[in-house]
Amino acid sequence: MIGEEENAREKENPEREKPEDEKDGNPRDTIGNGKGSFEFTTFQFKHELTDSIIPYSYFEPEQAKDTDKKFPLIMALHGAEYFLSDKEMFLKGQERTAYMALAWLEKEKQSKNPAFVVAPNIHDKMWDRDTESYFGWEKPNSSDFVEKLLDSIIAHNENVDDKRVYLVGHSMGGTGSWYLGAKLSTKIAAIVPLSSAFDSSDSSFEFVASNIVNQDVRDLPVWAFIHRADANAKRDEDGSRAAFGIMLENNYDPIYTHRKDTVDRNLTREEIFEQIEAGKKHFYTEYSYPCSSVGDCHFAQEFALREDFLIEWLFRQRKE
């Protein structure tokens, strides 16, 4: 394993009384790194492009110790809430957005599908204020950091299965999942964009769209999740919705599980599993569950990362 361990582990969130809107089975009931979860360790990585030491969060499954067996790696990309967050506060205080990473450390998930989990952070040293008007995973420094960190972890850990590297991300991280999935399609086995802050007028969307049209990502499995209200609230057409429209136009045969355009699909769990068994690679899920506001609807990950069909599909994906 690379990096210098700082012996800095996230502490469990204290027990608290749940507000009324979090009771009765709401997914937020179990958000956070509580008693049902393992913990991240903070490591550091020397990033050559920025000549900086950058911290990142890392988890190694118990099953990977004292064995030569290989396990998948999940790289979780955060949303804007953690931009420039210092290492002591990273993945803390914003548990709803942190769930894109914390979900994979839940003991039930790790017992059924043990996996390495890496959560990089767009650190202050990675943002070039002189040339960049805004931040994002698609920017040169941050995208290079993800690629180099991934390469280094794989090179230094023989238990990581380089054929099963999965990229997931929430909001800004969802946009990063699309962009880096296309850019690193030879290294990534599947991507899961969650509530992507992805605008079809952005240059990052144009890059992804061109890769779809050119058939460069035909073999890249994608399952995108978003809430309908969130998708409708984008400045322009929602990027995930638009990207799947381009897939449809270019004969990718995507599966719409809940809604296609203005038509409700509402596939049953059994019907979705039939599509998974058939080997389908591209799924789009647009939820319509009740939420109190557009901002509240921006956390589709709370439902998506608890869908048994997503978990089943994801861990089947492997680079050939």
Side-chain angles (χ1 to χ4, degrees):
M1 178 59 211
I2 61 167
E4 177 184 352
E5 183 171 357
E6 298 180 318
N7 194 29
R9 291 181 177 271
E10 291 191 9
K11 297 181 180 178
E12 294 181 349
N13 291 326
E15 293 290 334
R16 63 181 178 84
E17 176 66 18
K18 298 182 181 70
E20 286 299 318
D21 66 348
E22 291 191 23
K23 295 180 179 179
D24 300 324
N26 188 297
R28 277 175 279 173
D29 285 1
T30 56
I31 285 177
N33 202 11
K35 293 181 179 179
S37 302
F38 293 105
E39 297 178 342
F40 278 112
T41 300
T42 300
F43 286 90
Q44 296 186 126
F45 178 72
K46 176 62 182 298
H47 185 218
E48 297 295 338
L49 182 61
T50 58
D51 191 28
S52 302
I53 302 295
I54 308 294
Y56 66 96
S57 295
Y58 175 84
F59 173 81
E60 178 180 355
E62 293 291 328
Q63 296 90 327
K65 298 174 182 177
D66 301 319
T67 181
D68 58 0
K69 185 178 179 181
K70 291 183 178 294
F71 298 87
L73 183 149
I74 297 168
M75 182 163 283
L77 305 181
H78 66 77
E81 293 89 340
Y82 286 111
F83 173 59
L84 303 185
S85 174
D86 61 45
K87 61 188 178 184
E88 287 76 19
M89 291 305 299
F90 185 51
L91 302 181
K92 296 187 179 73
Q94 295 278 354
E95 284 81 4
R96 294 189 76 184
T97 190
Y99 196 62
M100 52 80 203
L102 300 181
W104 307 104
L105 271 61
E106 292 173 348
K107 292 183 179 180
E108 183 178 358
K109 284 191 176 70
Q110 283 290 329
S111 66
K112 294 180 179 179
N113 295 287
F116 290 88
V117 186
V118 177
N121 182 13
I122 297 185
H123 193 268
D124 180 65
K125 297 175 182 177
M126 292 162 55
W127 186 26
D128 188 346
R129 292 174 171 81
D130 294 332
T131 62
E132 297 174 359
S133 59
Y134 67 98
F135 51 88
W137 291 105
E138 72 276 17
K139 294 300 183 179
N141 288 345
S142 49
S143 63
D144 183 79
F145 174 70
V146 169
E147 181 175 11
K148 297 304 191 302
L149 176 61
L150 175 61
D151 288 346
S152 189
I153 288 175
I154 292 173
H156 290 84
N157 194 330
E158 61 184 14
N159 293 112
V160 172
D161 187 349
D162 63 354
K163 302 298 184 184
R164 301 175 68 199
V165 176
Y166 309 129
L167 195 60
V168 305
H170 164 69
S171 190
M172 181 179 77
T175 302
S177 298
W178 275 112
Y179 178 83
L180 288 167
K183 182 174 185 287
L184 308 177
S185 60
T186 61
K187 301 178 181 182
I188 303 299
I191 66 171
V192 183
L194 302 160
S195 304
S196 300
F198 201 26
D199 193 312
S200 59
S201 64
D202 291 343
S203 60
S204 56
F205 177 84
E206 295 175 1
F207 173 78
V208 172
S210 66
N211 275 266
I212 295 173
V213 173
N214 295 334
Q215 308 293 312
D216 294 330
V217 292
R218 175 171 287 278
D219 294 325
L220 175 67
V222 180
W223 199 323
F225 291 83
I226 197 165
H227 192 281
R228 186 176 309 168
D230 190 19
N232 290 339
K234 304 302 182 185
R235 295 187 301 277
D236 197 348
E237 186 176 11
D238 170 64
S240 288
R241 185 189 285 170
F244 270 80
I246 297 172
M247 286 183 178
L248 191 63
E249 294 170 357
N250 287 271
N251 302 312
Y252 278 64
D253 193 24
I255 304 301
Y256 291 80
T257 65
H258 288 53
R259 185 178 177 85
K260 178 182 176 184
D261 298 324
T262 59
V263 179
D264 288 321
R265 305 276 288 180
N266 297 325
L267 298 185
T268 66
R269 177 179 176 277
E270 289 71 22
E271 288 172 330
I272 294 174
F273 269 103
E274 286 176 4
Q275 298 296 337
I276 293 173
E277 290 292 341
K280 298 298 184 180
K281 294 182 177 180
H282 306 108
F283 289 80
Y284 177 78
T285 297
E286 189 172 297
Y287 289 128
S288 59
Y289 56 81
C291 43
S292 61
S293 65
V294 172
D296 188 46
C297 292
H298 188 53
F299 295 92
Q301 60 176 334
E302 295 174 357
F303 286 80
L305 298 184
R306 290 183 171 87
E307 301 282 22
D308 57 353
F309 46 76
L310 168 64
I311 305 302
E312 176 70 22
W313 172 86
L314 181 64
F315 286 98
R316 288 188 180 200
Q317 307 310 312
R318 176 184 293 273
K319 295 296 293 183
E320 299 298 333

